[in-house]
Amino acid sequence: MEDNKLKKALTAAGIWAVAVGAVISGSYYGWNYIFSETNFTGALIAMAIAILFYIPFAFMFAELATAIPSSAGPAAYTEKAFGRGAGFFAGFSYLVESLFCTPGICIAIGAYVHTLFPVVPAVVASVVAYLIFLFINMRGIEAGQLIGLIVTIIGVAGVVLYAAIGLPSADFSLLGKMGDLGGVKGIFIAIPYAVWFFLAFEAGGMGAEECKNPSKDIPKGFIVGIFTLLVGGMLMLITTAAALPKEEILKNDAPVANVINHLFGEGSTMSIIFIVIAMIGLAASLNGIIIGQSRQTYALARCKCLPGFLGKLDKNGTPMNALLVTSVIGIALTLMGSVAVIVVIAGIGSAFMALCCFASWIKLSKDQPDMPRPYKCPKWLGYLGIPFCVLVAAASIYSAVAGQTLLLAGIAFGFFVLAIIYYIVVCKKKNGTFLVEPEDQ
């Protein structure tokens, strides 16, 4: 029945909006901890590692998403290559990433709202923001796509405007006054925050089943999207580092507000404008990740790896139960979490998911060379990303162990252990697949 199908409404612009929108908030908060244990040179090295991971990943992911257009995304690709159990692990890794990203975004939105309206508690604003975008996505993918496209364009334009305002008054001598490199340790701790400029980009792939023409629209949206984020991330890094001393950049989660307040004064018209733009950029990511995590949850349930009610669609083809349950979890984490912790744990989930995708891409290339591939990633480019993906995974784990996030990182790893046990005990006995949408749910 048509009511049991995800609705095909996404265009190339919609894929771009989901992919870039899921990430663009990373330009407005959280990433500034890249300087916590290193200097500008170390930050550039960390950025280079993140870029050499994510650009190949985007091209490789576009090949997988067009060859296997499934809302399960990484879970479907990994099942195709290694079986259903491995697919579950990949899908669960993405869920860990996305479920920890959304509270970080909400916390930042709450902080910005509280800055504008001190009478409004930050925690209340955080929860209200989540509820607003939950409501938008409950209206269906068309509403999510339209709002997502608008807020993403504004978020990207804000990064460009920030650079246009900040660079003419930049003091580039500040780049050499950020202390020591910090050695390998400093760079390793910086890497997860460099990754924050790209983290959750793969959310666009979760919309493959809702894409009108995935073979053409996904590569367009992904390739334009990853270079949008590359340019935006470098503009943000350089503009901020050349505007304030290191200690001022690190004093809170809002580096953009710190720079604009320095240039124009706290409470100025320009300061208010940029706080609003920052909130819109944060909202773009919240919208994109809500779409991605709900579709992944729906796909895991459809494959009988999560309770069946999460795999139900409403009359508009929206995974309503998955939207509601993931949002309840996200709101709970919003009430409990802190940004620095969230960045590292989300990075661990992202790195595990990406490793599953790279491994699947290699295996499918060798075992199923004749599988239809509407878009092909250049082999050299895909292989280039693999060592940097491993490096990012190692750095994310190291940062969790070396920093103040060991307890929550242990909890995150505990989630993985429990998920694997759950799969072996409950899911392995059931028949299901991430690869096709069943006709009767």
Side-chain angles (χ1 to χ4, degrees):
M1 292 176 59
E2 189 62 31
D3 284 351
N4 284 334
K5 302 286 185 180
L6 289 166
K7 195 167 184 178
K8 292 188 177 295
L10 286 175
T11 62
I15 292 292
W16 176 87
V18 174
V20 175
V23 185
I24 195 63
S25 67
S27 293
Y28 290 96
Y29 83 108
W31 68 265
N32 49 316
Y33 297 111
I34 195 172
F35 298 117
S36 60
E37 299 288 339
T38 192
N39 56 20
F40 185 71
T41 301
L44 284 181
I45 294 171
M47 280 293 287
I49 291 168
I51 290 166
L52 289 170
F53 161 30
Y54 263 98
I55 288 181
F57 175 76
F59 281 77
M60 179 273 299
F61 202 81
E63 177 180 320
L64 291 173
T66 53
I68 311 168
S70 168
S71 61
Y77 320 147
T78 308
E79 180 190 344
K80 183 82 169 176
F82 296 104
R84 185 163 169 263
F88 173 79
F89 180 82
F92 186 79
S93 296
Y94 174 75
L95 272 186
V96 169
E97 172 192 358
S98 60
L99 286 173
F100 275 92
C101 276
T102 45
I105 295 165
C106 288
I107 290 168
I109 291 176
Y112 275 115
V113 171
H114 181 68
T115 300
L116 271 183
F117 308 104
V119 70
V120 180
V123 67
V124 172
S126 300
V127 173
V128 169
Y130 208 128
L131 292 174
I132 288 171
F133 280 88
L134 169 62
F135 175 75
I136 290 170
N137 278 279
M138 287 171 67
R139 303 293 298 274
I141 191 64
E142 292 100 330
Q145 175 179 224
L146 176 60
I147 298 298
L149 183 60
I150 292 170
V151 294
T152 300
I153 290 172
I154 294 172
V156 172
V159 173
V160 175
L161 179 61
Y162 174 73
I165 291 172
L167 286 176
S169 56
D171 179 4
F172 290 102
S173 68
L174 290 172
L175 303 183
K177 300 176 181 178
M178 287 191 162
D180 297 331
L181 180 66
V184 174
K185 175 185 176 182
I187 295 169
F188 256 52
I189 290 176
I191 287 173
Y193 300 105
V195 168
W196 197 240
F197 282 114
F198 306 96
L199 194 73
F201 175 79
E202 66 279 358
M206 311 307 162
E209 282 184 35
E210 294 164 280
C211 190
K212 291 180 178 179
N213 189 353
S215 64
K216 292 183 179 179
D217 290 345
I218 289 175
K220 288 179 184 176
F222 268 39
I223 293 169
V224 174
I226 197 64
F227 284 104
T228 301
L229 295 170
L230 167 59
V231 173
M234 291 305 300
L235 285 175
M236 189 61 68
L237 179 73
I238 295 169
T239 303
T240 305
L244 292 173
K246 178 176 176 176
E247 58 272 14
E248 289 296 307
I249 296 173
L250 291 171
K251 74 177 182 179
N252 57 33
D253 297 326
V256 171
N258 295 340
V259 171
I260 297 300
N261 288 340
H262 170 73
L263 293 175
F264 298 98
E266 193 168 344
S268 65
T269 300
M270 189 61 73
S271 175
I272 293 171
I273 289 171
F274 265 93
I275 287 175
V276 172
I277 290 174
M279 287 193 295
I280 292 172
L282 291 161
S285 290
L286 183 58
N287 183 73
I289 297 174
I290 284 175
I291 291 173
Q293 71 185 21
S294 62
R295 270 56 179 180
Q296 183 71 181
T297 301
Y298 159 77
L300 286 168
R302 191 178 66 184
C303 184
K304 301 178 182 177
C305 288
L306 286 177
F309 78 97
L310 295 171
K312 303 294 184 182
L313 302 174
D314 70 3
K315 63 181 181 180
N316 296 318
T318 301
M320 190 65 68
N321 293 338
L323 265 172
L324 292 171
V325 170
T326 53
S327 295
V328 168
I329 295 171
I331 290 170
L333 289 172
T334 298
L335 297 173
M336 296 167 53
S338 70
V339 170
V341 170
I342 283 163
V343 170
V344 173
I345 295 178
I348 291 171
S350 173
F352 284 173
M353 176 278 303
L355 286 171
C356 290
C357 290
F358 274 117
S360 300
W361 175 71
I362 293 170
K363 192 169 191 298
L364 290 172
S365 297
K366 293 179 178 179
D367 293 354
Q368 301 186 41
D370 298 327
M371 182 177 71
R373 291 172 170 83
Y375 170 80
K376 287 189 177 182
C377 169
K379 283 286 190 293
W380 68 268
L381 184 59
Y383 279 102
L384 175 65
I386 295 171
F388 293 100
C389 179
V390 173
L391 193 56
V392 166
S396 298
I397 295 170
Y398 176 82
S399 294
V401 173
Q404 301 297 315
T405 59
L406 183 58
L407 175 60
L408 282 178
I411 293 172
F413 281 114
F415 289 162
F416 280 100
V417 173
L418 289 175
I420 292 169
I421 293 171
Y422 171 79
Y423 178 83
I424 293 171
V425 173
V426 177
C427 307
K428 193 174 181 181
K429 304 172 185 177
K430 300 177 181 179
N431 293 322
T433 177
F434 298 111
L435 295 171
V436 295
E437 184 156 6
E439 294 181 3
D440 186 10
Q441 296 174 28

